[in-house]
Amino acid sequence: MRNLIKRLHWMDYLMLFVLVAATAAIVVRVGGVLNYDWRWEKIPNYIFRYKESEERWVANLLVQGLVATVRISIYASILALILGVILGVARCSANLTIRMLARTYLEFLRNVPPVVVIFIFFFFLSEQLIVALNMESWARGIARQENNAVWTFLFGDMRRFPALISGVIVLALFESAFVGEIVRAGIQSIDRGQREAARSIGMSWFQEMRFIVLPQALRKVLPPLANQFISLVKDSSLVSLISVPDLTFKTVELVASTRLIFEAWLTAAAFYFVICFGLSLLFRRLENK
């Protein structure tokens, strides 16, 4: 901390002063012009609440939504990475049909608003898949069981499992288009001579990709993949539109029931900032190593 303070320039102090002054001006204007009654003392109760029947603190609306957002982001990022690598490899395929199918998928998703994509995939794909697999009845059966602690830890309330899966699927399908283009760029950045050398010693196409191309490509695309994962965390707020109980959905519920408009949304923004900023620091350390 002392080293950080020593590196600060007078311009940094000036910018900090301007930021604090702007924040104070906004708070005063909201309280004065809009005649808004700030009630920050009520927010902690919607983060954690004391459950008297069990005599312990339990997560309330905002933390429940935060945990759901983290779950959705992790599962969607894993699925998006798998699909994105497949799409990126397909974009570099020698087969024209495979290459064009992958490009059609990528170009469609990258040039259509995400809200439209989420509604399209929700109503025409994930919802139909959930009904076809009878997933709702299966999830409710697990929710009635007594020993479902593992399922609850992994997926939360199993009664909302279909909604969680819908959010993960639609978010992963949308984000996989961007991951696919990143992976394609990484593959095409590998020197052609290395691929020709792999073929000259008798490697198959699969061995060439597995041992030569992908290890180098994935190392190069780590920074843009990290940025895409951070964007995925922020884009996860869109799944609240299909009634997935994430942080944004829970914040809307809180605002509707308490009218804590500014307090609730500022708290939600702080939660998103902490997650995304923490991830940016983590990925920066990975890049340096």
Side-chain angles (χ1 to χ4, degrees), residues 58-112:
V58 296
N60 209 347
L61 282 176
L62 292 175
V63 172
Q64 292 172 3
L66 177 64
V67 173
T69 293
V70 172
R71 286 195 184 103
I72 292 170
S73 300
I74 292 174
Y75 299 147
S77 63
I78 295 173
L79 183 56
L81 180 62
I82 295 172
L83 294 176
V85 171
I86 295 173
L87 290 168
V89 173
R91 283 281 281 115
C92 301
S93 173
N95 188 300
L96 179 61
T97 302
I98 295 176
R99 196 164 64 246
M100 292 305 298
L101 286 174
R103 182 171 182 177
T104 301
Y105 177 88
L106 295 175
E107 293 297 337
F108 173 75
L109 292 183
R110 291 173 63 229
N111 294 286
V112 175

Side-chain angles (χ1 to χ4, degrees), residues 209-267:
M209 298 298 295
R210 167 67 179 83
F211 297 106
I212 304 298
V213 178
L214 286 181
Q216 298 181 77
L218 291 178
R219 184 178 300 174
K220 289 185 176 182
V221 302
L222 180 60
L225 282 179
N227 291 332
Q228 192 60 41
F229 180 60
I230 294 173
S231 297
L232 186 148
V233 175
K234 294 183 290 185
D235 291 341
S236 66
S237 61
L238 295 173
V239 300
S240 63
L241 298 174
I242 54 177
S243 300
V244 178
D246 69 327
L247 179 56
T248 300
F249 185 86
K250 293 293 187 179
T251 305
V252 172
E253 285 187 342
L254 177 59
V255 170
S257 61
T258 64
R259 308 304 297 173
L260 298 172
I261 302 173
F262 290 102
E263 295 91 339
W265 285 115
L266 288 174
T267 304

Side-chain angles (χ1 to χ4, degrees), residues 126-135:
S126 64
E127 186 70 14
Q128 304 301 322
L129 181 63
I130 289 172
V131 173
L133 296 178
N134 199 22
M135 194 175 295

Side-chain angles (χ1 to χ4, degrees), residues 108-123:
F108 173 75
L109 292 183
R110 291 173 63 229
N111 294 286
V112 175
V115 175
V116 177
V117 173
I118 284 176
F119 278 118
I120 289 175
F121 278 107
F122 174 69
F123 289 110

